[in-house]
Amino acid sequence: MSIETTVFTFKLSNTFEEWVNMFDSPEIEEFHKTVGLKPLYRGKNLTDPKEVIVIHQAEEGVAKHVFTDPETIKNIEAGGHIYNTTKMTSWLAQ
């Protein structure tokens, strides 16, 4: 399988700092390892601190599968991610 880079942008219902505390937590780090996602970058928009970008790498199709799972959606929304604002694009180096 190919390695896919997936870019997510979305809005927050809380502050970026609150969201980062959740995203950088040991529990989320373990979740990423378990499902095979490697976070590469996360940041906030300079002009809109409620807009976030996250870049993950994983085997092709993994990110889409993980982030369309109803249980995952429930958990990411609990951290302040407004799921219905999510834009996801996927990229391959080949």
Side-chain angles (χ1 to χ4, degrees):
M1 282 213 122
S2 298
I3 296 298
E4 179 178 54
T5 302
T6 305
V7 179
F8 297 88
T9 58
F10 53 91
K11 296 284 191 165
L12 296 175
S13 62
N14 56 1
T15 67
F16 180 73
E17 292 72 20
E18 291 169 322
W19 177 82
V20 164
N21 285 334
M22 178 278 311
F23 187 82
D24 290 349
S25 71
E27 296 82 12
I28 299 302
E29 184 178 320
E30 186 59 34
F31 170 77
H32 286 144
K33 286 180 186 176
T34 300
V35 299
L37 286 171
K38 179 181 177 184
L40 299 179
Y41 178 79
R42 50 114 178 109
K44 64 182 174 180
N45 185 314
L46 288 172
T47 59
D48 181 358
K50 294 261 188 189
E51 183 177 19
V52 174
I53 185 171
V54 175
I55 303 173
H56 287 294
Q57 280 188 331
E59 288 190 20
E60 192 173 352
V62 168
K64 182 177 181 179
H65 173 74
V66 169
F67 285 93
T68 56
D69 176 71
E71 190 64 27
T72 301
I73 294 168
K74 182 178 84 172
N75 291 334
I76 66 172
E77 286 182 326
H81 178 148
I82 303 171
Y83 185 79
N84 68 358
T85 66
T86 304
K87 295 177 184 158
M88 179 176 22
T89 57
S90 298
W91 307 80
L92 293 174
Q94 310 168 11

